[in-house]
Amino acid sequence: MHAVEVEKFWKAVVGRLQSSLGGAAVDTWIVPLSVDRLENEVLYINAPNMFLRDWVQNNYANKILYSCTQENENIKAIEISVMEAQSRECSALPDVEPAQLPTVVPEKIKFEEHLDFCIPLDPKLTFDNFVVGKPNELAYAAALRIAESEQVAFNPLFLYGSVGLGKTHLMNAIAWRIKLRSPDRNIAYLSAEKFMYQFVKAVRYKDTMAFKEQFRSVDVLMIDDIQFICGKDSTQEEFFHTFNALVDNKRQVVVSADKSPSDLDGMEERLRSRLGWGLVADIHPTTYELRLGILQSKAVSFPIEIPNKVLEFVAHKITSNIRELEGALNRIAASAVLVGREVTVDSARDVLSDLLRVSEKKITVEEIQKKVAAHYAIRLSDMSSARRIRQVTLPRQVAMYLSKKLTTLSLPEIGKIFGGKDHTTILHAVKRIEKSIESDSNLAEDIRLLTQVMEK
């Protein structure tokens, strides 16, 4: 293929990438590349510097190769090199205005190396590949604001939601974005468990001053799963003082948990109050539209095409969380690549048979309310009412008990569905039913029958 033909071919490839990746990503990362030659079924591509070369290699190589094969099926591989004229060690960013800085960064950017117990950042978890929808739009907007603000916007940022909904993704995205904009800022990102472990070790070796200096000298402190220190009084005490020291010095604190600050049982009141000082942003369970958007975004990275009907099928069937959703898509793609099976709704159903069985058995609080209301011949609206007559309170408490027993929802989440009731109300109902069934055989039989009905 002559040089002119190679250039024409490359323009067609960039056009395909424009459709799959979007204009901003292509303009920032693909346009600076130039094609060198096509030789022995390998397309040789030049990058202006090592930073851009490494980032494209880590994030877009498969997508570029796939687009190349769509234009020329004889191409088997691509090779990206730094142009000889600029092959010296270089970590400069592409020549873009600050407002145009990409939100994805490569592993080349490092973060707070002297804190060797920090969680390594995942280069795939960035703002660029975080799909935004109604359930997570506030959390996303708040995280982006924190990452792009020179001044502390709100302190702390408290992100909460169930497992697998994107809290860790946003924490990683914040850290990457801050390091891209301000490489000299020190970021400490770790789990609450690690924080506790480091504190206990410091106490054991009588080195608490070094511990304090280490954590209070960072510019951004990010703690994942803060609920882990609930009930750990000494660790809470130290975290409380660390938190205050950082906030007083206008250092940013970002925290995540599975519940809101007010619902963290075992957390000291003063610490709960401090955690709710800034902005508390929850991430709700995914909607069908958001799940489909996530699948479509992830599907473009695979070397095979996955029909939209298959993505729609998965979005409808896998509703638990994003991790399971992405895992299901990985299975489908692996089956197609390794076994050579055509990707169809039927083949997806076969590959995901075990996940689908679990998903189809999933019991919801709303279903429990309907079944219990019908069993006791009360109105469904009584489940969320404030009526206190026994004919209503007993069935309502039975429904609360079964909701705790048969679902994975937390007490506050169950309370919301029962008309916004406090988690202590749900806990009281659960304990009362547990005690009553020991002496009331009729109630015990009701619980047994309702459980069987729900689990069929």
Side-chain angles (χ1 to χ4, degrees):
M1 191 181 286
H2 297 297
V4 175
E5 293 174 317
V6 171
E7 286 292 339
K8 185 178 179 181
F9 163 78
W10 179 244
K11 284 184 179 179
V13 170
V14 172
R16 285 182 175 274
L17 292 170
Q18 194 94 19
S19 300
S20 61
L21 303 179
V26 169
D27 288 345
T28 302
W29 301 109
I30 307 301
V31 170
L33 303 175
S34 60
V35 67
D36 183 10
R37 66 190 187 280
L38 176 60
E39 186 177 284
N40 297 328
E41 300 181 331
V42 178
L43 183 69
Y44 292 87
I45 300 170
N46 287 329
N49 55 57
M50 290 180 66
F51 179 97
L52 195 139
R53 188 275 309 277
D54 291 347
W55 190 89
V56 171
Q57 188 69 54
N58 289 335
N59 294 273
Y60 284 155
N62 289 339
K63 298 172 186 177
I64 293 173
L65 178 58
Y66 178 73
S67 295
C68 286
T69 58
Q70 295 299 295
E71 290 293 325
N72 185 337
E73 61 183 14
N74 294 323
I75 294 178
K76 304 301 182 187
I78 63 170
E79 186 171 311
I80 307 172
S81 305
V82 179
M83 285 186 285
E84 291 184 8
Q86 301 184 38
S87 61
R88 62 186 181 280
E89 283 293 322
C90 174
S91 59
L93 290 169
D95 188 16
V96 293
E97 294 298 317
Q100 297 174 308
L101 279 170
T103 52
V104 179
V105 290
E107 293 177 354
K108 191 78 175 176
I109 294 179
K110 297 179 181 178
F111 102 137
E112 203 45 33
E113 292 180 343
H114 73 268
L115 297 180
D116 55 5
F117 49 81
C118 287
I119 300 172
L121 291 182
D122 187 336
K124 297 176 183 176
L125 302 182
T126 63
F127 285 119
D128 272 356
N129 53 30
F130 187 87
V131 180
V132 185
K134 283 281 185 186
N136 59 28
E137 60 185 359
L138 174 61
Y140 171 83
L144 188 59
R145 178 70 178 274
I146 287 288
E148 293 188 335
S149 296
E150 297 298 331
Q151 302 292 326
V152 174
F154 22 75
N155 217 359
L157 170 60
F158 191 102
L159 303 170
Y160 78 94
S162 297
V163 174
L165 295 183
K167 301 188 299 294
T168 298
H169 191 144
L170 286 177
M171 298 277 273
N172 274 259
I174 291 170
W176 279 127
R177 181 64 167 164
I178 290 174
K179 292 303 287 184
L180 177 64
R181 294 178 62 84
S182 306
D184 294 332
R185 291 182 75 184
N186 294 330
I187 302 173
Y189 172 38
L190 68 159
S191 66
E193 184 179 12
K194 275 285 188 182
F195 181 88
M196 186 184 75
Y197 172 77
Q198 292 300 316
F199 174 63
V200 170
K201 189 170 74 170
V203 171
R204 180 182 178 186
Y205 291 104
K206 299 179 180 180
D207 197 21
T208 55
M209 286 307 298
F211 173 89
K212 294 176 188 293
E213 291 172 6
Q214 195 173 42
F215 278 98
R216 298 180 194 187
S217 65
V218 300
D219 298 304
V220 183
L221 176 63
M222 308 178 75
I223 303 287
D224 220 345
D225 293 324
I226 195 68
Q227 72 273 4
F228 186 84
I229 66 171
C230 287
K232 313 293 194 302
D233 294 343
S234 297
T235 303
Q236 287 187 46
E237 175 84 13
E238 183 55 39
F239 179 73
F240 176 80
H241 293 304
T242 298
F243 176 94
N244 284 339
L246 291 171
V247 171
D248 289 347
N249 288 298
K250 299 192 182 327
R251 309 289 178 85
Q252 184 67 57
V253 178
V254 182
V255 177
S256 80
D258 61 349
K259 302 172 186 174
S260 69
S262 60
D263 291 327
L264 289 172
D265 295 328
M267 188 72 74
E268 290 181 8
E269 182 57 38
R270 61 176 181 171
L271 184 51
R272 275 209 303 253
S273 175
R274 294 292 194 277
L275 292 173
W277 262 3
L279 177 65
V280 177
D282 60 336
I283 305 177
H284 299 286
T286 58
T287 60
Y288 165 74
E289 291 77 15
L290 179 57
R291 292 194 297 273
L292 182 58
I294 291 168
L295 290 171
Q296 290 172 333
S297 174
K298 185 172 177 61
V300 299
S301 66
F302 293 129
I304 59 165
E305 184 177 353
I306 300 180
N308 208 54
K309 284 187 177 181
V310 174
L311 301 180
E312 292 171 355
F313 169 76
V314 176
H316 271 300
K317 294 294 185 180
I318 308 297
T319 61
S320 52
N321 60 59
I322 296 170
R323 290 177 193 167
E324 196 165 280
L325 189 71
E326 293 183 341
L329 190 61
N330 287 336
R331 278 204 208 183
I332 293 170
S335 174
V337 172
L338 299 176
V339 182
R341 190 174 182 184
E342 183 183 0
V343 180
T344 65
V345 171
D346 287 339
S347 67
R349 185 180 283 109
D350 290 343
V351 171
L352 305 177
S353 58
D354 59 327
L355 287 179
L356 296 179
R357 279 197 302 273
V358 172
S359 180
E360 285 164 2
K361 286 182 181 177
K362 187 176 180 181
I363 300 170
T364 67
V365 172
E366 290 82 359
E367 287 177 290
I368 292 172
Q369 289 177 333
K370 289 178 183 177
K371 297 291 186 184
V372 174
H375 181 80
Y376 286 101
I378 66 171
R379 294 175 301 181
L380 181 60
S381 59
D382 285 331
M383 288 293 169
S384 55
S385 74
R387 297 179 67 196
R388 293 184 178 275
I389 59 173
R390 179 171 171 77
Q391 291 92 328
V392 171
T393 55
L394 178 62
R396 189 161 57 217
Q397 288 178 338
V398 167
M400 291 175 178
Y401 168 82
L402 290 172
S403 296
K404 177 59 180 172
K405 179 182 177 183
L406 301 178
T407 77
T408 59
L409 297 183
S410 65
L411 295 178
E413 288 170 333
I414 294 171
K416 287 181 182 179
I417 304 173
F418 278 87
K421 293 191 170 46
D422 187 83
H423 74 281
T424 56
T425 302
I426 309 299
L427 183 60
H428 171 72
V430 171
K431 289 183 176 178
R432 183 171 182 179
I433 296 299
E434 285 177 344
K435 185 176 180 180
S436 297
I437 58 179
E438 293 176 2
S439 56
D440 188 338
S441 59
N442 290 329
L443 178 59
E445 181 64 9
D446 283 348
I447 297 292
R448 188 184 67 80
L449 290 173
L450 285 165
T451 300
Q452 284 183 345
V453 168
M454 296 306 305
E455 291 182 337
K456 279 185 179 178

